[in-house]
Amino acid sequence: MQQCCVLANMFIPSAKNNHMTFKTYKKLLPGAAGIFMLLLTFSSCKKDAAVVPEEISLSLPSTLSVVYGEVTDLPLPAELTGQADLTFKIEFNETENIQIGSGVKLYDKLARAVTVDKQQGKIHIDSRLVYPNGAVSSINGNTLPESYKVTVVASSSQGTITGRQTMALRVNPAQARIKDLKETGGIPFAYVLYSDKGAVFELEAPAISTEGTTWYLPAVADANSVVAITGAQIRFSANAGDTKKQAEQTYNLEPALQKDGFTVAATKLRVVFIPQIKFFYGTYYPEYDLTLIFNLLHIALSNGYLSAKPVLYPERYKSTFRISSIAKDGVAYDNSQGIFEIESTTGAVRVKQNSSLTAGQYKLIITALTTTGLEFTTDLTLAMEGE
């Protein structure tokens, strides 16, 4: 503005010094006003000509999903990391900064878990330093957000280049499992026979470090007094299930591995307690719990023979039967000719009429596979004598 006044004075001489009349000033004023407006326009053009910051793309995914325990690197564009004047920083302003523990908030964890390394040209994500999303703290009841909003900001010291991109980071819980329990694609389950020992299941999370973690078992309806978790073991007491140990009893558990009260790995477990299964050749009277075993039978040599069906009680667990081995007088017998057979659905043993067998005791080991997947064995000895 001072510049404008000086220029104006250059074109409007002082009336005192030059003895100009009012009429002369009146004639000069329109020209001076035009020059003043010209100067204002020039000043405005200078402002409009200011450098507009260049918006750059960081080429990051809009969403990223990882499993707890994974370490991931996201590359930054090489043409950006090579610019010495360009700096990067990470913000979490769009994520609620909830309380994690005493004196620790979520931003503290995220700042360690998500970092930028310009020298190596990457965003480094270590999911082990944060927690799976949506987890609820078993300590203070706080719930983690459904995703972590990570904003990467790039800028130059002169303000000529800027870039900003927000990415939704989703951390999913790792998979825990029951040691030595077969995975079938559904909920892991196990059948347990009633006994005076109860049952024990070992937990593991092989894909992640368990340092600083504890195993946790949410309350189980009608089971809090019979099941507990100790270290990495789920333990059922001897009085679990039916008090008379006759009826089936099912327990559905959801054990979890926790860190700072948040679940980092989880699994499910279904345990079914079932009555002791009786399997033998003979007769069983359940109303009296009376067992009569007939596992030594005398039959004529060379004649065909079909045994009675074995007892498998409770019958609802009956599935299939097979011959596991045969021995004659304590020596393994080669049954390649198929003289000894078993009806797979009933368990009845058949001896084909033949002329190759010799007198002696033939001991068969029979295996029953139940509907629960449990296997049981019993023996049947056929003492063959000449006619």
Side-chain angles (χ1 to χ4, degrees):
M1 191 67 183
Q2 184 178 358
Q3 183 182 13
C4 294
C5 293
V6 172
L7 289 171
N9 287 334
M10 290 174 61
F11 288 94
I12 307 175
S14 169
K16 181 179 179 180
N17 295 334
N18 294 284
H19 309 285
M20 298 183 71
T21 64
F22 176 76
K23 289 182 179 181
T24 304
Y25 274 111
K26 189 174 180 183
K27 291 178 180 179
L28 292 174
L29 279 174
I35 293 171
F36 184 71
M37 291 301 295
L38 193 63
L39 291 172
L40 289 178
T41 303
F42 173 74
S43 175
S44 175
C45 289
K46 281 189 67 176
K47 291 180 182 178
D48 293 342
V51 178
V52 178
E54 177 189 356
E55 291 289 337
I56 58 175
S57 172
L58 301 179
S59 301
L60 298 174
S62 59
T63 59
L64 177 66
S65 182
V66 299
V67 175
Y68 178 84
E70 291 182 347
V71 178
T72 304
D73 289 328
L74 296 178
L76 290 168
E79 63 270 19
L80 302 182
T81 56
Q83 298 186 35
D85 188 44
L86 203 61
T87 59
F88 297 86
K89 68 176 181 179
I90 295 180
E91 299 175 348
F92 308 103
N93 300 334
E94 296 184 39
T95 300
E96 183 183 359
N97 191 20
I98 71 167
Q99 194 77 34
I100 298 298
S102 178
V104 180
K105 288 199 168 184
L106 180 58
Y107 284 7
D108 302 325
K109 297 291 184 179
L110 286 172
R112 294 181 59 210
V114 186
T115 56
V116 61
D117 189 332
K118 181 185 176 183
Q119 186 174 1
Q120 295 189 21
K122 66 183 183 180
I123 304 296
H124 183 68
I125 300 171
D126 189 342
S127 66
R128 299 170 299 181
L129 301 178
V130 70
Y131 316 95
N133 293 97
V136 180
S137 172
S138 61
I139 298 174
N140 56 27
N142 288 342
T143 302
L144 293 171
E146 290 303 312
S147 67
Y148 302 124
K149 299 299 178 61
V150 179
T151 301
V152 181
V153 182
S155 60
S156 62
S157 59
Q158 301 299 322
T160 56
I161 301 177
T162 61
R164 172 185 291 267
Q165 184 175 350
T166 299
M167 173 181 64
L169 173 63
R170 172 80 187 182
V171 180
N172 300 302
Q175 183 65 47
R177 67 186 187 190
I178 312 301
K179 193 174 182 179
D180 299 327
L181 193 63
K182 292 181 179 179
E183 300 283 345
T184 59
I187 297 176
F189 68 92
Y191 287 94
V192 178
L193 296 173
Y194 284 117
S195 70
D196 295 330
K197 297 180 180 180
V200 177
F201 297 92
E202 189 87 19
L203 292 160
E204 61 181 0
I208 63 175
S209 170
T210 56
E211 183 179 355
T213 63
T214 55
W215 289 101
Y216 173 76
L217 186 65
V220 182
D222 302 324
N224 289 332
S225 61
V226 298
V227 62
I229 196 163
T230 305
Q233 292 184 333
I234 296 175
R235 291 182 169 272
F236 284 90
S237 64
N239 62 334
D242 176 40
T243 55
K244 295 182 179 179
K245 302 185 184 303
Q246 294 298 318
E248 282 190 7
Q249 177 72 49
T250 300
Y251 296 98
N252 291 303
L253 312 179
E254 296 187 13
L257 185 65
Q258 293 195 338
K259 184 177 182 180
D260 302 326
F262 294 102
T263 294
V264 296
T267 188
K268 293 182 178 181
L269 174 63
R270 178 171 295 156
V271 179
V272 183
F273 282 84
I274 63 175
Q276 285 286 346
I277 292 178
K278 298 180 183 295
F279 176 47
F280 59 90
Y281 284 86
T283 304
Y284 177 62
Y285 300 95
E287 63 273 27
Y288 307 113
D289 194 21
L290 177 62
T291 299
L292 301 176
I293 297 177
F294 305 113
N295 62 350
L296 175 57
L297 304 174
H298 294 267
I299 64 174
L301 189 64
S302 302
N303 289 346
Y305 174 78
L306 180 64
S307 75
K309 296 181 295 184
V311 170
L312 195 147
Y313 183 87
E315 287 193 4
R316 64 180 177 275
Y317 300 122
K318 184 182 294 185
S319 181
T320 59
F321 303 85
R322 70 173 185 270
I323 299 174
S324 296
S325 65
I326 305 174
K328 176 182 181 294
D329 297 330
V331 178
Y333 171 79
D334 180 8
N335 189 41
S336 58
Q337 294 182 12
I339 294 176
F340 294 92
E341 293 180 337
I342 190 168
E343 292 183 354
S344 61
T345 56
T346 67
V349 172
R350 175 180 285 104
V351 182
K352 292 182 179 178
Q353 188 172 3
N354 67 94
S355 59
S356 61
L357 295 180
T358 58
Q361 293 193 348
Y362 293 81
K363 185 175 182 179
L364 288 72
I365 302 301
I366 309 299
T367 297
L369 176 66
T370 65
T371 56
T372 64
L374 299 175
E375 290 188 355
F376 299 87
T377 61
T378 191
D379 61 89
L380 175 65
T381 299
L382 301 176
M384 295 190 180
E385 304 167 349
E387 296 181 3

